[in-house]
Amino acid sequence: MPDISRRRALTAAAALAATATVATVVAPAASAADHEHPMPMPGTFDEVYKGRRIQGRPMSGGGHHHEHGGGFEVLIDGVQLHLMQNADGTWISVISHYDPVSTPRAAARTAVDELQGAPLLPFPAN
Amino acid sequence: MTVRKNQATLTADEKKRFVDAVLELKRSGRYDDFVRTHNEFIMSDTDTGERTGHRSPSFLPWHRRFLLDFEQALQSVDSSVALPYWDWSTDRTPRASLWAPDFLGGTGRSSDGRVMDGPFAAAAGNWPLSVRVDGRTFLRRSLGTAVRELPTRAEVDSVLSISTYDMAPYNSASDGFRNNLEGWRGVNLHNRVHVWVGGQMATGVSPNDPVFWLHHAFVDKLWAEWQSRHPGTGYVPTGGTPDVVDLDETMKPWNDVRPADLLDHTKFYTFDS
């Protein structure tokens, strides 16, 4: 479990409250535009949702063998959530694999709801 | 010859033999290999890349072969056992006998989703979850929570009436029978049932819930019903399609079986009706 400072958590919570009705902040265009995934890179996010830190961001470094989020990754308390983008632009995660949602943030929140406080396990890195 | 029966018609003895064979596969470690294989394919099948087990034409023959493997494993324990199917368009409530304590057990408790009765409840000690995506080692369900209604027979019939097996781009954006049955498009049959059950059934490690096999045995039966309704049409594509299993190409992980080998289920089993 990563350390989340009280200030950081409060800031994230405040930011969440302030932007609750505002459209997702648009992140800068993806660096290496992946020609296999021509869809726009989703917005970066970092918030505390139901007491857990959820983050979404363009992946740093080389793409993971198992990663199919189009170069975007989501973490829950610092553990990567296996994410996948569908052809129509919707998203699923390994926690909710048969029920597409519109954004990676929605997939992360759904995963937190489903986990009910349980730790996410890192998926096999092979 | 194996006869796959509607789960609602099984005798008490047939239910017990099925459950006991599943528990023996679990005890021996063979069961978890099936869960692992399924999760590996579900994480690697992508709309823009190689796709075999899901979101592709081979969704149906891949699962037919996967279920055959599982059924043969069950029969190595008890040769009288066949996979039953769950017609979720008929047995569509948590009160169905499928979910009784003498068969699969019921829904999970509200606090943590834990299944509390039946042979697969964690408390019985015979069903530890070892292939999983989170820290929880107990079987969970939340029947009818994330989506209220299972598909109706009218919705099933609307999908069976689609005359084309599959269509380019042969993924989750396709029109055609396969993707409407899989559920990424249209009224949503197969995917919605995973969501309706909830718990591990909604995740990539869905075979952790034994209802996975009964669900897919019915999806498989619907493929057979579709073939009966559309005898002039068949599996597509039939050759030269990148990232997609064509009719005469072999499928992973077996590498020795093609969709063409799996179109006729009567080589392997029949249905009760």
Side-chain angles (χ1 to χ4, degrees):
Chain A
M1 183 79 104
D3 286 327
I4 304 175
S5 73
R6 176 177 163 79
R7 180 179 169 187
R8 168 135 210 159
L10 289 172
T11 304
L16 172 60
T19 60
T21 59
V22 179
T24 303
V25 176
V26 177
S31 45
D34 185 345
H35 60 269
E36 284 189 358
H37 299 275
M39 283 176 271
M41 185 64 72
T44 296
F45 62 91
D46 187 344
E47 68 184 31
V48 174
Y49 174 74
K50 292 189 176 178
R52 304 184 72 167
R53 186 178 182 188
I54 59 173
Q55 298 165 276
R57 63 194 185 199
M59 292 185 80
S60 56
H64 191 285
H65 179 71
H66 258 310
E67 179 50 46
H68 299 107
F72 194 83
E73 69 177 356
V74 162
L75 301 99
I76 298 178
D77 293 334
V79 177
Q80 192 178 354
L81 175 69
H82 188 268
L83 190 71
M84 186 181 291
Q85 188 169 26
N86 295 318
D88 65 358
T90 58
W91 298 80
I92 52 176
S93 84
V94 75
I95 294 279
S96 185
H97 204 90
Y98 303 92
D99 198 7
V101 293
S102 58
T103 63
R105 189 204 297 251
R109 289 178 173 179
T110 298
V112 168
D113 292 341
E114 287 293 322
L115 285 166
Q116 295 184 290
L120 183 65
L121 297 185
F123 55 86
N126 54 8
Chain B
M1 174 61 89
T2 298
V3 179
R4 293 190 180 172
K5 299 177 183 175
N6 188 321
Q7 60 79 25
T9 69
L10 297 186
T11 65
D13 183 59
E14 287 170 328
K15 290 180 188 180
K16 182 174 190 316
R17 285 174 173 272
F18 174 78
V19 166
D20 286 350
V22 171
L23 292 176
E24 173 55 23
L25 291 184
K26 182 68 165 182
R27 190 201 60 77
S28 70
R30 296 168 73 188
Y31 192 95
D32 287 341
D33 289 338
F34 288 94
V35 185
R36 196 172 293 110
T37 296
H38 186 268
N39 193 42
E40 286 170 3
F41 275 82
I42 218 163
M43 291 201 306
S44 61
D45 295 322
T46 63
D47 279 335
T48 54
E50 186 175 323
R51 48 199 185 275
T52 302
H54 306 85
R55 57 180 69 237
S56 60
S58 46
F59 167 71
L60 290 171
W62 191 93
H63 281 84
R64 177 165 284 177
R65 175 57 196 258
F66 191 56
L67 264 64
L68 277 166
D69 281 3
F70 183 70
E71 187 170 55
Q72 286 163 8
L74 291 174
Q75 291 173 344
S76 74
V77 175
D78 180 343
S79 61
S80 75
V81 171
L83 277 186
Y85 62 86
W86 169 34
D87 177 352
W88 23 255
S89 74
T90 299
D91 297 306
R92 41 188 294 107
T93 80
R95 295 178 299 282
S97 59
L98 172 68
W99 308 112
D102 69 339
F103 202 11
L104 300 191
T107 194
R109 64 182 179 189
S110 58
S111 59
D112 60 2
R114 186 186 307 241
V115 170
M116 300 300 289
D117 66 353
F120 307 103
N126 296 318
W127 203 250
L129 300 195
S130 53
V131 182
R132 55 188 204 270
V133 294
D134 61 58
R136 292 168 291 183
T137 59
F138 52 89
L139 181 66
R140 292 178 294 115
R141 292 185 190 127
S142 190
L143 304 182
T145 300
V147 59
R148 191 166 296 277
E149 298 289 342
L150 287 163
T152 64
R153 186 66 213 186
E155 288 171 328
V156 168
D157 285 335
S158 73
V159 172
L160 291 176
S161 72
I162 299 171
S163 58
T164 306
Y165 177 76
D166 206 345
M167 296 172 73
Y170 300 115
N171 64 16
S172 75
S174 291
D175 289 321
F177 168 69
R178 186 275 311 166
N179 197 36
N180 277 268
L181 174 57
E182 190 170 359
W184 302 110
R185 280 288 174 275
V187 297
N188 186 357
L189 300 183
H190 153 269
N191 281 354
R192 197 200 322 178
V193 176
H194 278 276
V195 176
W196 186 89
V197 175
Q200 282 86 11
M201 260 293 271
T203 74
V205 292
S206 46
N208 272 315
D209 191 329
V211 81
F212 174 91
W213 309 103
L214 285 76
H215 171 35
H216 272 278
F218 185 59
V219 170
D220 181 81
K221 185 171 188 288
L222 292 178
W223 184 21
E225 289 183 25
W226 179 86
Q227 290 172 310
S228 299
R229 289 199 194 194
H230 307 277
T233 54
Y235 184 96
V236 287
T238 56
T241 316
D243 293 327
V244 171
V245 182
D246 295 311
L247 179 65
D248 291 314
E249 279 188 314
T250 57
M251 284 189 295
K252 295 177 181 176
W254 307 280
N255 298 316
D256 63 355
V257 64
R258 310 164 301 161
D261 303 319
L262 294 163
L263 303 182
D264 178 9
H265 70 278
T266 65
K267 292 192 287 187
F268 311 105
Y269 51 86
T270 57
F271 293 105
D272 54 356
S273 65

